[in-house]
Amino acid sequence: EAGVTQSPRYAVLQEGQAVSFWCDPISGHDTLYWYQQPRDQGPQLLVYFRDEAVIDNSQLPSDRFSAVRPKGTNSTLKIQSAKQGDTATYLCASRQGRNTGQLYFGEGSKLTVL
Amino acid sequence: AQSVTQPDARVTVSEGASLQLRCKYSYSGTPYLFWYVQYPRQGLQLLLKYYSGDPVVQGVNGFEAEFIKSNSSFHLRKASVHWSDSAVYFCAVSDRGSALGRLHFGAGTQLIVIP
């Protein structure tokens, strides 16, 4: 069974540029999460979906960050007008089941904003 | 609000020695608790989890953790470490029910095992 796939693995931007990260969860997993992991810190939840619906995006900086999961499968996280403070690894994870189920993480997309 | 504290940013041990990585949490109610490991350039991998029942839970590769409610702790232990255990270890607490998976992580502890 394929794991959670993320791309690109690395991105380097100048401030003000935009970037999109893509996540393909494990087949059949209905819940998908995006976490932000700054260097030397633990991951912090940005947003999560159940199927195509956003369940919680309260930690997503809505003025520059957006996330979609239009068909309840793959997801895209987009950062517009990136800032140096956005430098971090962006982790995608998926899970099957509403009240149980292990979270599976992808390898992450490492973003550096110069 | 939920939070996790891992007081040791880095722990160095010799191969074959025992290990304890500390974790304290703040959560209203009985939490779901997790330990994850992150090897270089890899995603987070689940080591073990506690939902309920026996407070000592066994995980992969000889790791175990003990949930002590009175102390709000969930320390990770291993009797004898191997050089391949070198990695960053994260403790996490989760909301329950349909919010399971909304994890709150500690800052992580980097484990260095000296051969």
Side-chain angles (χ1 to χ4, degrees):
Chain A
E1 179 184 72
V4 177
T5 305
Q6 293 186 243
S7 66
R9 290 293 310 277
Y10 302 93
V12 180
L13 306 176
Q14 299 289 335
E15 276 199 320
Q17 291 185 308
V19 64
S20 291
F21 300 118
W22 179 81
C23 174
D24 186 7
I26 293 174
S27 178
H29 282 196
D30 58 356
T31 309
L32 184 147
Y33 306 81
W34 284 102
Y35 283 83
Q36 180 191 56
Q37 185 179 15
R39 183 178 173 84
D40 297 329
Q41 295 184 34
Q44 300 156 22
L45 182 68
L46 289 174
V47 59
Y48 79 101
F49 300 84
R50 185 162 298 122
D51 299 319
E52 68 278 3
V54 174
I55 303 301
D56 183 355
N57 63 357
S58 59
Q59 302 304 311
L60 197 66
S62 58
D63 57 336
R64 297 184 300 106
F65 286 63
S66 61
V68 295
R69 192 185 185 199
K71 297 182 179 179
T73 52
N74 301 337
S75 177
T76 302
L77 175 70
K78 184 174 183 178
I79 306 173
Q80 293 182 322
S81 190
K83 299 181 178 180
Q84 288 188 352
D86 299 332
T87 294
T89 298
Y90 292 84
L91 299 170
C92 180
S94 69
R95 179 173 68 87
Q96 182 178 32
R98 288 180 177 252
N99 297 315
T100 60
Q102 177 182 333
L103 219 62
Y104 292 86
F105 283 85
E107 294 179 331
S109 295
K110 186 175 182 179
L111 172 65
T112 302
V113 183
L114 302 175
Chain B
Q2 303 88 329
S3 66
V4 175
T5 301
Q6 294 181 249
D8 305 308
R10 179 178 291 185
V11 170
T12 302
V13 298
S14 297
E15 192 169 26
S18 63
L19 170 72
Q20 176 172 279
L21 301 182
R22 296 183 292 166
C23 170
K24 296 203 72 172
Y25 65 89
S26 174
Y27 186 83
S28 55
T30 303
Y32 288 162
L33 294 160
F34 305 82
W35 276 97
Y36 283 85
V37 61
Q38 188 173 39
Y39 298 101
R41 295 173 295 281
Q42 294 187 29
L44 291 162
Q45 300 171 31
L46 181 66
L47 276 179
L48 48 79
K49 62 183 182 289
Y50 171 79
Y51 286 174
S52 63
D54 188 341
V56 179
V57 290
Q58 305 296 321
V60 298
N61 298 332
F63 286 93
E64 68 174 28
E66 183 173 7
F67 168 56
I68 302 180
K69 187 174 183 179
S70 61
N71 197 34
S72 298
S73 68
F74 190 57
H75 302 330
L76 182 70
R77 303 189 295 240
K78 187 171 184 179
S80 176
V81 297
H82 187 265
W83 65 266
S84 61
D85 293 326
S86 296
V88 181
Y89 292 79
F90 292 94
C91 181
V93 61
S94 173
D95 298 317
R96 285 182 167 255
S98 62
L100 175 66
R102 189 164 59 193
L103 297 172
H104 305 271
F105 286 88
T109 297
Q110 183 180 15
L111 174 64
I112 299 169
V113 180
I114 302 171

